[in-house]
Amino acid sequence: MHALDPSAIPTQAAVEVAEDVVRKLLEKLADENNGAYPESIAFTLWGTDNIKTYGESLAQVLALVGVRPVADSLGRVNKVELIPLEKLGRPRVDVVVSCSGVFRDLFINQMNLMDRGIKLAAEADEPLEMNFIRKHAIEQAEELNVSLREAACRVFSNSAGSYSANVGLAIENGGWEDESQLQEQFLTRKGFAFNADKPGMMEQQAD
């Protein structure tokens, strides 16, 4: 059993471990790609994993974006701050985050933190070659004719009360004919975007 205060996630220790993991990962990927950093990385966040590690994988998402969680005097993490590029020393990496239904239920405030941090990066007046979140959000805003903040939604999960993509179940039961059906099922089940600008709502993304 693991007892924790969800409002204190991620802890400072988890942030320090996550920043070290992200640094080593990006160094490895850059070495394998002639010094170029990845522009996007996909994440799946699980409830149990973040309970056991006090938010390490959540903190990895924030570290990739180049934002740091800020705790208040009681240890509650309720805001994020942008790490200056001069201190970050690398581009901000775009992320796409798929949260499990349990993570959504337990850590809705942390989904809020991620969304706010990602949008903070998207709105930062920085060179696009050093801010892949902003680069992609601008492109998507123009393509979809939406605002920059709406285009910067990167945190997804099931609709309220729903769990799992059920792709494994479909495969096990043989209820599919080609991969496109499985892809469509995943997007239909897990394609609900969290938007801190619209509290209490999970909006399904058609594109």
Side-chain angles (χ1 to χ4, degrees):
M1 298 295 291
H2 296 266
L4 82 163
D5 178 3
S7 67
I9 297 296
T11 62
Q12 182 57 37
V15 169
E16 292 173 1
V17 170
E19 289 180 345
D20 189 48
V21 168
V22 165
R23 177 182 57 79
K24 291 177 180 178
L25 171 65
L26 292 180
E27 286 177 355
K28 181 177 185 295
L29 293 175
D31 286 343
E32 294 173 350
N33 198 30
N34 299 317
Y37 288 98
E39 293 198 7
S40 300
I41 292 181
F43 264 83
T44 298
L45 296 186
W46 303 96
T48 304
D49 172 64
N50 278 275
I51 291 173
K52 290 180 178 179
T53 65
Y54 295 92
E56 281 183 20
S57 54
L58 160 66
Q60 289 171 19
V61 173
L62 299 176
L64 283 167
V65 173
V67 298
R68 180 171 290 128
V70 179
D72 64 15
S73 59
L74 298 177
R76 296 172 302 193
V77 182
N78 49 31
K79 70 176 186 175
V80 290
E81 62 182 10
L82 207 62
I83 302 172
L85 284 176
E86 304 77 42
K87 186 174 182 180
L88 192 61
R90 57 163 174 83
R92 303 188 193 281
V93 178
D94 201 356
V95 292
V96 177
V97 186
S98 176
C99 301
S100 73
V102 172
F103 185 96
R104 175 205 60 211
D105 292 347
L106 293 176
F107 298 114
I108 193 71
N109 290 336
Q110 283 65 31
M111 291 174 70
N112 185 299
L113 278 180
M114 285 189 288
D115 185 67
R116 284 159 49 198
I118 292 165
K119 288 173 178 173
L120 193 64
E123 293 180 323
D125 186 12
E126 297 171 341
L128 299 185
E129 66 272 14
M130 292 299 291
N131 187 334
F132 299 137
I133 301 110
R134 181 171 177 79
K135 174 185 175 182
H136 298 158
I138 289 174
E139 292 172 351
Q140 290 161 349
E142 292 177 353
E143 178 185 351
L144 301 174
N145 193 30
V146 297
S147 69
L148 180 66
R149 289 184 67 82
E150 189 172 352
C153 287
R154 295 289 188 271
V155 182
F156 300 87
S157 187
N158 300 82
S159 62
S162 175
Y163 300 86
S164 179
N166 288 338
V167 170
L169 187 62
I171 293 174
E172 185 177 322
N173 293 338
W176 61 289
E177 295 179 1
D178 55 57
E179 286 189 13
S180 65
Q181 288 180 279
L182 300 178
Q183 294 166 359
E184 182 63 28
Q185 178 168 322
F186 181 88
L187 293 175
T188 299
R189 297 276 300 175
K190 304 292 290 187
F192 289 81
F194 180 89
N195 189 344
D197 298 335
K198 299 177 181 179
M201 296 179 62
M202 295 283 288
E203 296 185 325
Q204 189 166 26
Q205 302 296 293
D207 296 296

